[in-house]
């Protein structure tokens, strides 16, 4: 493929908070990079570590978005996600992958602006790191 | 009835799987009535590669390969074996998943050679000579196989018909598998020969077996820290991978206080380590997760002990 490299960023967003925030960012016309593609899942607790690793085979960065602690629609899915995330990040480092390529963020349904900001920030970070070659 | 022609090849492994075959003892002797061993090299019979090359294509009925693929020589033999064999079985954790040799994929080829041939304190190699594939001695050419940059499981090199897990496979399970092969009662091509149950399913420590509810893991213990009591090892904080591992071993390690390390292969899914993270993190408290990160020197090597080459991200870039 010709042309300049553009990051491929996958956001796995929980249905109840982060996906709603993305929706709100759209309604309020807060811009965020087109490198971001969103996958909607019921809960950040649904994000199996396997999803993250599988995604990294083709993407340069993965962001998991969930509800703030205490706000999970399923009570504790986000706590589970946080615990898994810590372990996965450690394993990726051992495989020679920069831990900044995976990110976990709590973004509530009312935080449209924050969603757009986090996406811009993450996109900049991934551009700085360059393409992921494993 | 003509005898089943059997071949056994030790690739990058430790011959433990072949010991498991020998451990069949009387059962193996009974099976020998139906089996003719045509190739068991290098472990048992001193045959040369040309002896294998001279066989007719598809003249071997079943070949068991134990060990991963690390050298060009192993790749060469396995490819010939594939050509000569009707049913090729990846026998044991190394052949099926890359096994312990596969942990080398956490390092680059150069790192491995440097450690082995230059940096260890007992090495005397002032010129830093590394193994060469060819070397000229007074006009004669000496050769060594090539040391590949990564370890591969068998199916990453040739087409594999069946997989059997275990490091080594439990001899009772080997008996079941050998019987299935003799009778021709095999699952669809490409499957694992397995009961499909997890280690927990056959472990007598499992709280579910006693109608109890599993408690969260609050503390992490390494096996060197004390002696476990009779309860579930995982519940006591010994990081047992039983929930995500195939239990054709009958849960034999947990029964003698050794937590499962996953040699049986994943119960389901593509990536053993990731599935183990999913299972463990869901059972643990936040404090226990932090303690685990502190106590386990290399989480990746711990969770991918037998399966790195077949995991989704299977080598260090």
């Amino acid at each position: 493929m010709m042309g300049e490299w553009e990051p491929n960023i996958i956001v796995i967003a929980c249905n109840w908070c982060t996906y709603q925030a993305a929706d709100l960012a759209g309604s309020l016309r807060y811009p965020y990079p087109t490198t971001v593609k969103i996958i909607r899942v019921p809960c950040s607790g649904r994000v199996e570590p396997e999803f993250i690793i599988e995604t990294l085979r083709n993407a340069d960065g993965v962001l998991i978005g969930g509800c703030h602690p205490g706000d999970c629609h399923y009570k504790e899915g986000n706590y589970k996600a946080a615990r898994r995330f810590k372990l996965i990040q450690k394993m990726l480092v051992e495989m020679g992958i920069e831990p900044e390529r995976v990110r976990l963020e709590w973004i509530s349904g009312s935080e449209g602006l924050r969603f757009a900001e986090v996406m811009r920030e993450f996109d900049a970070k991934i551009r700085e790191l360059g393409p992921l070659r494993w | 009835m003509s005898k089943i022609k059997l071949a056994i090849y030790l690739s990058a492994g430790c011959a433990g799987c072949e010991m498991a075959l020998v451990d069949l003892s009387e059962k193996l002797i009974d099976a020998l009535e139906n089996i003719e061993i045509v190739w068991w090299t290098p472990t048992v019979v001193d045959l040369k590669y040309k002896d294998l090359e001279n066989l007719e294509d598809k003249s071997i009925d079943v070949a068991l390969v134990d060990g991963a693929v690390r050298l060009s020589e192993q790749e060469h033999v396995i490819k010939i074996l594939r050509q000569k064999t009707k049913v090729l079985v990846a026998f044991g954790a190394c052949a099926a998943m890359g096994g312990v040799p596969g942990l080398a994929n956490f390092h680059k080829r150069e790192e491995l050679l440097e450690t082995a041939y230059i940096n260890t304190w007992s090495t005397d190699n002032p010129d830093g000579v590394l193994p060469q594939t060819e070397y000229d001695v007074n006009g004669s050419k000496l050769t060594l196989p090539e040391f590949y940059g990564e370890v591969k499981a068998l199916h990453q090199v040739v087409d594999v018909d069946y997989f059997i897990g275990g490091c080594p496979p439990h001899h009772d399970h080997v008996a079941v598998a050998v019987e299935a092969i003799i009778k021709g009662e095999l699952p669809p091509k490409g499957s694992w020969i397995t009961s499909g149950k997890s280690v927990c399913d056959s472990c007598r420590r499992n709280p579910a077996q006693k109608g109890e509810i599993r408690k969260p893991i609050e503390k992490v213990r390494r096996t060197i820290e004390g002696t476990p009591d009779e309860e579930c090892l995982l519940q006591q904080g010994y990081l047992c991978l039983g929930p995500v591992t195939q239990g054709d071993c009958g849960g034999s390690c947990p029964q003698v206080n050794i937590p499962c390390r996953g040699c049986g292969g994943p119960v389901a899914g593509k990536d053993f380590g990731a599935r183990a993270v999913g299972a463990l993190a869901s059972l643990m408290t936040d404090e226990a997760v932090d303690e685990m990160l502190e106590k386990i020197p290399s989480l990746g090597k711990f969770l991918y002990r037998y399966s790195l080459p077949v995991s989704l991200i299977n080598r260090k870039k």
Side-chain angles (χ1 to χ4, degrees):
Chain A
M1 216 165 72
M2 300 297 283
E4 213 170 295
W5 168 76
E6 281 281 302
N8 183 16
I9 295 170
I10 305 292
V11 173
I12 310 181
C14 102
N15 176 49
W16 306 97
C17 292
T18 308
Y19 194 82
Q20 300 304 325
D23 237 6
L24 186 63
S27 307
L28 296 175
R29 295 172 188 268
Y30 294 135
Y32 62 87
T34 52
T35 52
V36 170
K37 291 106 190 166
I38 308 177
I39 297 171
R40 174 155 66 161
V41 289
C43 174
S44 55
R46 177 66 185 90
V47 181
E48 288 183 28
E50 226 169 8
F51 295 1
I52 302 175
I53 297 187
E54 174 94 59
T55 306
L56 280 176
R57 277 154 58 95
N58 296 303
D60 304 296
V62 188
L63 186 140
I64 320 298
C67 306
H68 285 277
D71 285 355
C72 177
H73 188 78
Y74 306 99
K75 288 189 179 163
E76 50 181 39
N78 52 355
Y79 292 106
K80 237 175 223 185
R83 294 199 293 268
R84 289 170 170 181
F85 180 77
K86 264 190 194 174
L87 298 177
I88 278 292
Q89 221 178 13
K90 173 90 186 291
M91 284 200 325
L92 290 176
V93 173
E94 288 172 16
M95 286 168 167
I97 291 174
E98 300 91 346
E100 298 90 344
R101 290 188 189 274
V102 276
R103 188 163 161 177
L104 180 69
E105 277 297 332
W106 309 136
I107 304 171
S108 83
S110 61
E111 294 177 310
L113 182 59
R114 173 147 173 75
F115 180 86
E117 274 169 7
V118 168
M119 293 310 133
R120 284 199 292 271
E121 218 181 278
F122 193 48
D123 176 78
K125 182 80 214 170
I126 298 299
R127 279 176 198 276
E128 188 190 315
L129 291 171
L132 170 59
R133 293 206 179 88
W134 61 269
Chain B
M1 195 182 104
S2 63
K3 289 187 172 188
I4 292 172
K5 290 197 167 68
L6 178 73
I8 299 162
Y9 174 59
L10 169 64
S11 192
C14 68
C17 294
E18 300 184 9
M19 285 308 297
L21 271 177
V22 176
D23 279 346
L24 286 171
S25 50
E26 297 87 16
K27 283 183 196 151
L28 182 63
I29 293 168
D30 293 343
L32 284 174
E33 284 178 18
N34 300 307
I35 288 173
E36 180 193 342
I37 293 169
V38 291
W39 166 270
W40 192 341
T41 301
T43 325
V44 173
V45 188
D46 181 26
L47 290 171
K48 305 298 172 207
Y49 295 148
K50 66 171 174 8
D51 298 320
L52 184 65
E53 284 158 7
N54 289 342
L55 292 174
E56 255 176 62
D57 283 3
K58 304 289 169 202
S59 63
I60 301 171
D61 295 305
V62 180
L64 304 179
V65 177
D66 54 306
V69 185
R70 159 58 97 192
L71 304 172
S72 55
E73 179 191 24
Q74 292 155 352
E75 186 178 356
H76 171 74
V77 176
I78 287 165
K79 281 186 172 159
I80 297 175
L81 210 49
R82 175 68 273 185
Q83 208 181 318
K84 308 290 173 192
T85 305
K86 287 180 196 142
V87 177
L88 187 75
V89 183
F91 185 63
C94 293
M97 302 182 286
V100 171
L103 282 176
N105 288 6
F106 272 113
H107 304 274
K108 292 177 189 165
R109 183 179 183 273
E110 295 72 40
E111 282 173 42
L112 297 170
L113 291 174
E114 243 180 71
T115 303
Y117 293 96
I118 296 172
N119 291 337
T120 44
W121 65 267
S122 59
T123 304
D124 182 18
N125 183 6
D127 301 329
V129 179
L130 297 178
Q132 309 291 311
T133 49
E134 275 184 18
Y135 190 70
D136 205 54
V137 185
N138 306 327
S140 344
K141 200 168 70 177
L142 299 180
T143 59
L144 272 182
E146 190 190 339
F147 182 83
Y148 287 153
E150 62 180 302
V151 175
K152 286 183 178 170
L154 199 58
H155 69 278
Q156 292 167 326
V157 176
V158 291
D159 192 31
V160 169
D161 296 297
Y162 297 104
F163 298 87
I164 296 177
C167 179
H170 192 276
H171 49 84
D172 286 345
H173 182 56
V174 176
V176 172
V178 169
E179 207 183 304
I181 291 169
I182 291 174
K183 289 185 177 162
E185 292 166 357
L186 288 162
K189 184 179 146 74
S191 2
W192 288 70
I193 299 178
T194 172
S195 65
K197 290 177 177 172
S198 74
V199 170
C200 293
D201 211 297
S202 52
C203 178
R204 60 176 163 77
R205 293 174 186 259
N206 185 354
Q209 311 264 30
K210 304 176 220 163
E212 290 164 16
I213 289 175
R214 182 175 285 280
K215 296 186 204 95
I217 307 164
E218 287 172 351
K219 223 186 138 25
V220 169
R221 290 187 176 88
R222 297 188 65 184
T223 39
I224 46 168
E225 297 174 48
T227 310
D229 61 32
E230 286 298 300
E231 300 301 306
C232 170
L233 292 172
L234 196 50
Q235 205 163 274
Q236 293 175 64
Y238 296 99
L239 298 169
C240 178
L241 303 179
V244 291
T245 306
Q246 288 180 37
D248 300 308
C249 54
S252 47
C253 292
Q255 277 175 37
V256 291
N257 288 352
I258 306 292
C260 175
R261 290 293 177 246
C263 74
V267 173
K270 291 180 184 172
D271 193 297
F272 184 87
R275 292 203 77 88
V277 165
L280 289 178
S282 310
L283 291 168
M284 292 166 110
T285 62
D286 289 353
E287 293 74 28
V289 167
D290 291 337
E291 208 183 346
M292 178 174 173
L293 287 170
E294 216 172 273
K295 280 192 173 176
I296 306 291
S298 168
L299 192 63
K301 285 181 183 168
F302 178 73
L303 296 176
Y304 288 107
R305 184 172 297 196
Y306 297 100
S307 59
L308 185 64
V310 300
S311 69
L312 291 168
I313 291 177
N314 55 16
R315 63 181 183 273
K316 192 175 179 186
K317 59 171 178 161

